[in-house]
Amino acid sequence: MASAEDDLIARYFRPVATHAGALGLIDDAAILAASGEDVVITTDAVIEGVHFLPDDPPETVARKALRVNLSDLAAKGAKPAGFVLTLALRGVSEAWLAPFTAALAEDAKAFGCPLLGGDTVSTPGPLMISVTIFGKLPAGTMVRRSTARPGDIVAVTGTIGDAALGLACLKGHAPLDNVEARDELIARYQVPQPRNALAEAVRTHASAAMDVSDGLAGDLAKLCAASNVSATVETSDLPFSDTARQILSLGAIGPETLIAGGDDYEILCTVPQGRWASFMDSAERAGVAVTAIGRITNGPSAPVFLDAAGAPMHLKRLSYSHF
Amino acid sequence: MASAEDDLIARYFRPVATHAGALGLIDDAAILAASGEDVVITTDAVIEGVHFLPDDPPETVARKALRVNLSDLAAKGAKPAGFVLTLALRGVSEAWLAPFTAALAEDAKAFGCPLLGGDTVSTPGPLMISVTIFGKLPAGTMVRRSTARPGDIVAVTGTIGDAALGLACLKGHAPLDNVEARDELIARYQVPQPRNALAEAVRTHASAAMDVSDGLAGDLAKLCAASNVSATVETSDLPFSDTARQILSLGAIGPETLIAGGDDYEILCTVPQGRWASFMDSAERAGVAVTAIGRITNGPSAPVFLDAAGAPMHLKRLSYSHF
């Protein structure tokens, strides 16, 4: 069905724009009031064929586009405040837009992050959803990448590698007989579970943080480089799911796929030793699993991943790269 | 040349990120401090083949991507504070990126609007540049679309229709012998001249405003609908350039192309009669040409464009529509 752009906005996007500053999406701009707080801004785009598959349901595409950005806010210790959306579409199909915006509205409500504005454009190319998200926190308290210190504990939330295995399943590279386990992995790839519940604990206790989006190994290397430190990670301490361990034990897929796979959207953070107990208490109260996986060491060499025998692993690649 | 994403950021984008809150682009998020001011947010994307042509120079593409957003801030009365950029590229070519980012840096500096962050992704489709821009203004003073009142003067900056004629020239639909005049029209299409110098005057005096991006007729209709008013425009009062008048007089292109053409990036605003003299004084001091083109009338019917004989024109289309 062909529809005018304004009609499209009124029908599908206005219900997601519950923030007063969105002005019902009838203006050219939105207003975000900030009385002395810092506004944290981050942007991430997802593209058909790169970040999601052409067959992925519109619901999961919507959730992923928003959640990869929510994950950044969580790692920075910020509380979600709203987002703007650029949607490049080949055309307008109600069958796609209706479930897409319904899922977007659900997530916007669940995470307290309403739509503030956007732009819908036509493209002959692949679908693209670009989100710029805004968070708030007390002035000067954003958790950075560049402030990890030697001796800090390196920690990660949830499990690592499941999303990469989910993608491998979707591409037929990880044959898995157990349908339920397979579906769980695919769900991890399609719908990230950003750890916004942990944001306040990260802001209060972590010395540095970022979210794991391109692969744990590469993202830790980035955090270390920004902080001018190094790290040692005990691979046997990494939080792999039972299914991931099972697949690893079969030998068809190595730990590298999990460590460098990307799409985890977990929080990677460093916590000073003296803060660790309080941090773990807060994490437990927030209901988010956190695992200590290593230590920050003196820089500036690349982080070292030790295998079960204590020998450094040689990773052929550290993370997903677009170019 | 293939290059890692971080290398790309360091080489080409860091020089544009002069704002302290951009953290040198080594973090996942940027910080925008706002002590009691409102942050004005707007987003606009440009796509190859839709908003610019595949042959357009990278310099003009960069300027257009930023300036269409600067134009929104100007119309809202906000002062530029920074922007984030999502760049979807088919690959990395230094020959394209170097002039693109150099021009972006020049405009960022000229308009006082530094890069705060961004995302660079690969796409098999057309080039796409999505910008989300931030402005600041005193709390509660953003100029809206929805607040025009009957009796207000309808005004527009600069000239209308030159960009549409420039696009017609590029597509070979407006043969023009005068090369200089032709180049000027094309420049209007490729590099908008946002009226940020007028922002403060708009904020102080205008009752409602928006920028003209999709076509004067359609955009005025949107403003009127949002304000629940109508308008009467004297087409003979519209600010057409000498070249546009010349082309009109030849009869090959009608006034509709100019009025509904789009890509003007001028400010359309409504000013209460009692504010008009002060507004025009401010505009003169700012060095921005402003023309009164009509009056706001009681709503809610669509705005009327009167021809030279005072008869209502029948416009077949009001503006560019993506769908």
Side-chain angles (χ1 to χ4, degrees):
Chain A
M1 194 210 75
S3 155
E5 206 173 337
D6 291 329
D7 185 40
L8 196 82
I9 291 166
R11 195 175 321 175
Y12 294 111
F13 295 100
R14 199 162 291 154
V16 198
T18 56
H19 190 292
L23 305 174
L25 301 182
I26 61 159
D27 215 298
D28 312 81
I31 303 161
L32 197 65
S35 26
E37 300 152 301
D38 279 349
V39 177
V40 172
I41 303 169
T42 180
T43 187
D44 261 317
V46 297
I47 289 199
E48 182 183 31
V50 180
H51 303 85
F52 61 92
L53 302 178
D55 293 343
D56 283 353
E59 292 90 341
T60 69
V61 175
R63 292 187 202 279
K64 185 160 192 175
L66 184 57
R67 291 179 179 208
V68 301
N69 284 279
L70 283 162
S71 176
D72 276 317
L73 288 187
K76 302 287 101 183
K79 195 179 163 190
F83 70 104
V84 297
L85 177 74
T86 297
L87 201 52
L89 301 173
R90 276 184 298 269
V92 174
S93 132
E94 276 205 74
W96 193 89
L97 264 183
F100 177 88
T101 48
L104 199 64
E106 271 186 23
D107 266 10
K109 194 175 173 196
F111 288 93
C113 193
L115 181 68
L116 288 172
D119 192 19
T120 308
V121 292
S122 58
T123 174
L127 218 74
M128 168 162 163
I129 302 124
S130 172
V131 168
T132 302
I133 201 166
F134 312 102
K136 288 187 185 175
L137 40 68
T141 66
M142 190 183 93
V143 185
R144 306 189 181 192
R145 269 193 200 181
S146 56
T147 39
R149 293 292 166 261
D152 289 351
I153 294 170
V154 179
V156 74
T157 58
T159 59
I160 291 296
D162 290 332
L165 292 174
L167 178 58
C169 287
L170 281 170
K171 290 189 164 173
H173 299 162
L176 196 63
D177 291 339
N178 185 331
V179 174
E180 201 180 320
R182 184 178 180 279
D183 287 350
E184 272 173 27
L185 295 178
I186 291 173
R188 279 299 303 265
Y189 169 73
Q190 290 182 332
V191 182
Q193 302 294 328
R195 306 302 179 184
N196 296 79
L198 198 69
E200 185 60 24
V202 168
R203 196 176 67 76
T204 310
H205 302 294
S207 54
M210 66 186 292
D211 76 331
V212 183
S213 56
D214 290 339
L216 176 65
D219 288 338
L220 178 59
K222 285 177 193 170
L223 186 145
C224 285
S227 297
N228 198 32
V229 296
S230 187
T232 304
V233 171
E234 307 283 342
T235 310
S236 54
D237 286 346
L238 290 176
F240 295 141
S241 67
D242 290 345
T243 306
R245 287 189 191 282
Q246 220 171 12
I247 292 176
L248 277 183
S249 73
L250 296 175
I253 281 178
E256 198 167 65
T257 301
L258 282 65
I259 300 173
D263 275 309
D264 294 303
Y265 300 105
E266 297 290 354
I267 297 176
L268 169 68
C269 63
T270 62
V271 180
Q273 176 75 55
R275 292 279 199 171
W276 182 250
S278 308
F279 177 61
M280 290 303 279
D281 280 352
S282 300
E284 199 178 340
R285 277 198 301 278
V288 178
V290 172
T291 308
I293 61 171
R295 286 278 185 169
I296 294 293
T297 58
N298 287 316
S301 54
V304 179
F305 282 74
L306 302 175
D307 64 18
M313 293 172 65
H314 296 284
L315 298 169
K316 279 191 287 287
R317 67 182 187 98
L318 298 177
S319 60
Y320 182 81
S321 179
H322 282 287
F323 297 108
Chain B
M1 193 211 75
S3 155
E5 206 173 337
D6 291 330
D7 186 41
L8 195 83
I9 292 166
R11 196 175 319 175
Y12 294 110
F13 295 100
R14 199 161 293 155
V16 197
T18 55
H19 190 292
L23 305 175
L25 302 183
I26 61 158
D27 214 299
D28 312 80
I31 304 161
L32 197 65
S35 23
E37 298 152 301
D38 279 349
V39 177
V40 172
I41 303 168
T42 180
T43 188
D44 260 318
V46 297
I47 289 198
E48 182 184 30
V50 181
H51 304 85
F52 61 92
L53 302 178
D55 292 343
D56 283 353
E59 291 91 341
T60 68
V61 174
R63 292 188 203 279
K64 185 159 192 176
L66 185 57
R67 289 178 181 209
V68 301
N69 284 279
L70 283 162
S71 176
D72 276 317
L73 289 186
K76 300 288 102 183
K79 195 177 164 192
F83 71 104
V84 297
L85 177 75
T86 297
L87 202 51
L89 301 172
R90 275 184 298 270
V92 175
S93 132
E94 277 205 74
W96 192 89
L97 263 184
F100 177 88
T101 49
L104 199 65
E106 270 185 25
D107 266 10
K109 195 177 172 194
F111 289 92
C113 194
L115 180 68
L116 288 171
D119 192 18
T120 308
V121 292
S122 58
T123 174
L127 219 74
M128 167 161 165
I129 302 124
S130 171
V131 167
T132 302
I133 201 165
F134 312 101
K136 288 187 186 176
L137 40 68
T141 66
M142 191 183 93
V143 185
R144 306 189 180 192
R145 269 193 201 182
S146 56
T147 40
R149 293 290 165 263
D152 289 351
I153 295 171
V154 179
V156 74
T157 59
T159 59
I160 291 295
D162 290 333
L165 292 175
L167 178 58
C169 286
L170 281 170
K171 289 188 164 174
H173 300 162
L176 195 64
D177 290 339
N178 185 332
V179 174
E180 202 179 319
R182 184 179 180 278
D183 286 352
E184 270 173 29
L185 295 179
I186 291 173
R188 279 300 302 266
Y189 170 72
Q190 290 182 332
V191 182
Q193 302 294 327
R195 306 303 179 184
N196 296 79
L198 198 69
E200 185 61 23
V202 169
R203 195 175 68 77
T204 310
H205 302 294
S207 54
M210 66 186 293
D211 77 331
V212 183
S213 56
D214 290 338
L216 176 64
D219 287 339
L220 179 58
K222 284 177 194 170
L223 187 144
C224 286
S227 297
N228 199 30
V229 296
S230 186
T232 304
V233 172
E234 306 284 342
T235 309
S236 53
D237 287 346
L238 289 177
F240 294 141
S241 67
D242 290 346
T243 306
R245 288 190 189 283
Q246 221 171 11
I247 292 176
L248 276 184
S249 72
L250 294 176
I253 280 179
E256 197 168 66
T257 301
L258 281 65
I259 299 172
D263 274 309
D264 295 304
Y265 301 105
E266 297 290 355
I267 296 176
L268 170 68
C269 62
T270 61
V271 179
Q273 176 76 54
R275 291 281 198 169
W276 182 251
S278 308
F279 177 61
M280 290 303 279
D281 281 353
S282 300
E284 199 178 341
R285 277 198 301 278
V288 178
V290 172
T291 307
I293 61 170
R295 286 277 186 171
I296 294 294
T297 57
N298 288 316
S301 54
V304 179
F305 283 74
L306 302 175
D307 65 20
M313 293 171 66
H314 296 283
L315 298 170
K316 279 190 287 288
R317 65 182 186 99
L318 298 177
S319 61
Y320 181 81
S321 179
H322 283 287
F323 298 106

